[in-house]
Amino acid sequence: MNLLQLDKIKAKSKRRLGQGHGSGRVKTAGRGTKGQKARNKVAIYFEGGALPLTKRLPFLRGKGRNRSLQVKRYILNVSALNVFPKGTVVTLETLAKQGMIELESIKKSGVKILGDGELQTALTVKLPVSKGAEEKIKKAGGTVEI
């Protein structure tokens, strides 16, 4: 085996501080000299006593301020429903059996069917659908129940 045949190591290992004489970081253990960071742990967001960034910024007011808390629906297009045989009732469970969604992760957010593509089979859909998807389902001979 040559050096060229060894696997590449992508991540550097974490620097182990304060491990005694054999570590090669003896006197100050790799922490420099004096100061708050040399003596104890300091929070990542600590800015040396200055007013923190989070307090310097203005409040985010109005619509959409809690966007991170809002759950987005999982989107499926009508063309994806062509895998089901004629007369199938499409629910969350049938989509999960087909392997299109993961049932546990979808129960919180839900699924919405949009009208992209064409539908060849008549299905009964018991999920939220867009207007375009509803038209295409009815055109194929299916029904929409909510």
Side-chain angles (χ1 to χ4, degrees):
M1 177 179 274
N2 295 331
L3 286 174
L4 297 171
Q5 295 172 331
L6 291 174
D7 291 335
K8 299 275 186 207
I9 299 171
K10 290 189 172 44
K12 265 189 173 180
S13 56
K14 186 180 174 190
R15 182 183 288 183
R16 298 181 68 213
L17 303 177
Q19 297 298 313
H21 289 273
S23 68
R25 307 178 202 289
V26 186
K27 185 176 160 237
T28 54
R31 296 180 191 274
T33 318
K34 300 181 181 176
Q36 187 177 16
K37 288 185 178 177
R39 295 191 172 93
N40 52 26
K41 294 202 174 192
V42 184
I44 295 169
Y45 51 84
F46 184 70
E47 298 181 24
L51 194 66
L53 180 69
T54 52
K55 287 195 174 185
R56 279 181 276 162
L57 296 174
F59 287 122
L60 180 63
R61 302 185 189 278
K63 186 179 177 186
R65 67 182 173 276
N66 295 326
R67 201 167 294 271
S68 61
L69 302 174
Q70 294 171 354
V71 215
K72 279 197 167 183
R73 284 189 170 173
Y74 186 77
I75 294 170
L76 260 177
N77 284 312
V78 169
S79 56
L81 302 179
N82 283 322
V83 294
F84 293 108
K86 186 178 180 183
T88 308
V89 178
V90 181
T91 60
L92 286 176
E93 288 76 22
T94 54
L95 289 173
K97 280 181 189 172
Q98 199 66 32
M100 293 180 172
I101 60 170
E102 290 180 21
L103 196 59
E104 295 304 315
S105 59
I106 289 295
K107 281 202 174 179
K108 282 185 257 173
S109 59
V111 175
K112 184 162 187 176
I113 297 172
L114 301 182
D116 191 28
E118 291 299 321
L119 185 66
Q120 276 81 32
T121 55
L123 303 170
T124 304
V125 180
K126 290 189 173 183
L127 294 169
V129 295
S130 67
K131 288 180 184 176
E134 188 174 357
E135 288 173 13
K136 289 184 180 181
I137 292 167
K138 288 181 179 175
K139 183 180 170 186
T143 57
V144 177
E145 299 173 11
I146 296 173

